[in-house]
Amino acid sequence: MAEFGFNEHHQNEVINYMRFARSKMVLRLKTIDSCFEELKDSRLVEETFTVDEVKEMLDGLQAVVRGEVEMELINTAHTNVLLLRQLFSQAEKFYLRLQSDISELENRELLEQVAEFEKTDFKTAKINQETNKPKLLAPLNEGGVAELLNKEIARLQEENDKLKSRLRTLESQAMSALDERTKAERALKDLQKVRGEQQELSSLEDTVAALREDYERSLSAKSASQKDLQENLISAKHELLRVQEQLSLAEKELDKKFQQTAAYRNMKEILTKKNEQIKEIRKRLQRYEPNE
């Protein structure tokens, strides 16, 4: 691990974590192996299987193995978060801010160095029991550096308090300005709403006036049309009476002319003779059949 620039203490911490990760990996691999062994012992008891049966067994095995691998990956991610939590907590006690470069996690060269360390140094490294005891970062020495650091921390803390106070003042002013702006925007919206309503009312009044003019024009045209229709109806009635009168006169004239014709006189004489004959026949019938 000399290539990484670690001291002996940190190197031992890395070895501890890698041993922990390896133990978890071995345990999970044993669990996966047991899934296969269980399938062999419980399902592979016949000599022949259909395609559907083989597919069903493989699907079931896939679901189990997928669940185990997914659980291990999730647990590894959570474990790494807890490890980072310990490191960050120790750093914050000394007002340190640690940074990480996520892109370095996929650095193939560094990953190969870790793999090489796991094959060589990891197997032969001896963990110093005394270095495993402390759970926090070792404090700085009690010399002048620590005193200067404490003074700088106090100064920064005081400056931070001033900045916080200034920030609270600015936040209060900003909130007041924001309230005033909100009130102004609300008043502007109300004014715009009133103007919009006035414009809408004016437009509505213009529409009503136009409708009224159209109605009056329509009513006037309707009155004139009714008057013309009534006059035409009266004229038609007079014309009808005149025509009826002329027709009546024409009928009378025609009847008069028809009576003066020879055919009408002959027909009238024939009808007179027929009537006299009918009267004579009736008299005879009464003579011969008095009871009827």
Side-chain angles (χ1 to χ4, degrees), residues 9-55:
H9 172 77
H10 289 160
Q11 179 174 328
N12 290 329
E13 291 294 327
V14 172
I15 293 173
N16 281 336
Y17 178 75
M18 294 182 69
R19 286 186 173 179
F20 168 76
R22 169 170 286 192
S23 64
K24 300 292 290 184
M25 179 187 67
V26 171
L27 180 61
R28 190 58 61 185
L29 290 176
K30 288 182 179 180
T31 303
I32 294 176
D33 291 338
S34 65
C35 294
F36 283 87
E37 293 298 331
E38 182 180 358
L39 177 64
K40 294 177 182 179
D41 297 337
S42 61
R43 300 296 301 273
L44 300 180
V45 294
E46 300 179 5
E47 295 182 356
T48 59
F49 294 94
T50 63
V51 175
D52 293 336
E53 291 175 343
V54 174
K55 183 178 179 181

Side-chain angles (χ1 to χ4, degrees), residues 121-138:
D121 296 345
F122 179 69
K123 296 180 180 179
T124 59
K126 294 182 180 180
I127 302 176
N128 189 348
Q129 298 295 332
E130 294 180 358
T131 59
N132 290 334
K133 292 181 181 180
K135 300 297 181 179
L136 300 175
L137 293 177

Side-chain angles (χ1 to χ4, degrees), residues 241-275:
L241 292 175
R242 185 181 64 79
V243 171
Q244 287 178 350
E245 184 178 359
Q246 290 179 356
L247 182 60
S248 178
L249 293 174
E251 287 178 354
K252 291 179 180 180
E253 185 68 22
L254 182 62
D255 187 34
K256 184 178 180 181
K257 290 181 179 180
F258 179 71
Q259 290 178 4
Q260 294 176 357
T261 61
Y264 177 77
R265 288 194 299 270
N266 293 333
M267 186 179 294
K268 189 174 182 180
E269 290 177 359
I270 293 171
L271 288 175
T272 303
K273 290 180 179 180
K274 291 292 183 182
N275 289 331

Side-chain angles (χ1 to χ4, degrees), residues 17 37 57 70 83 99 109 115 136 151 184 193 198 215 217 251 277 283:
Y17 178 75
E37 293 298 331
M57 289 187 291
E70 183 179 7
L83 179 62
Q99 294 181 348
E109 182 179 356
L136 300 175
K151 289 182 179 179
K193 184 178 180 180
Q198 290 178 351
Y215 175 74
R217 286 196 298 268
E251 287 178 354
Q277 290 176 359
K283 289 179 180 180

Side-chain angles (χ1 to χ4, degrees), residues 139-190:
L140 299 174
N141 58 351
E142 297 298 333
V145 177
E147 184 177 358
L148 291 176
L149 181 60
N150 291 331
K151 289 182 179 179
E152 182 65 17
I153 291 172
R155 186 186 68 79
L156 293 175
Q157 187 66 38
E158 183 180 359
E159 185 177 353
N160 188 31
D161 293 339
K162 292 180 180 179
L163 291 175
K164 287 182 178 179
S165 177
R166 177 61 178 171
L167 179 61
R168 286 193 294 269
T169 302
L170 292 176
E171 287 178 351
S172 178
Q173 294 176 356
M175 291 299 296
S176 299
L178 183 60
D179 292 339
E180 294 295 331
R181 179 181 176 181
T182 303
K183 292 179 181 179
E185 289 178 351
R186 189 180 297 110
L188 180 60
K189 288 182 179 179
D190 294 338

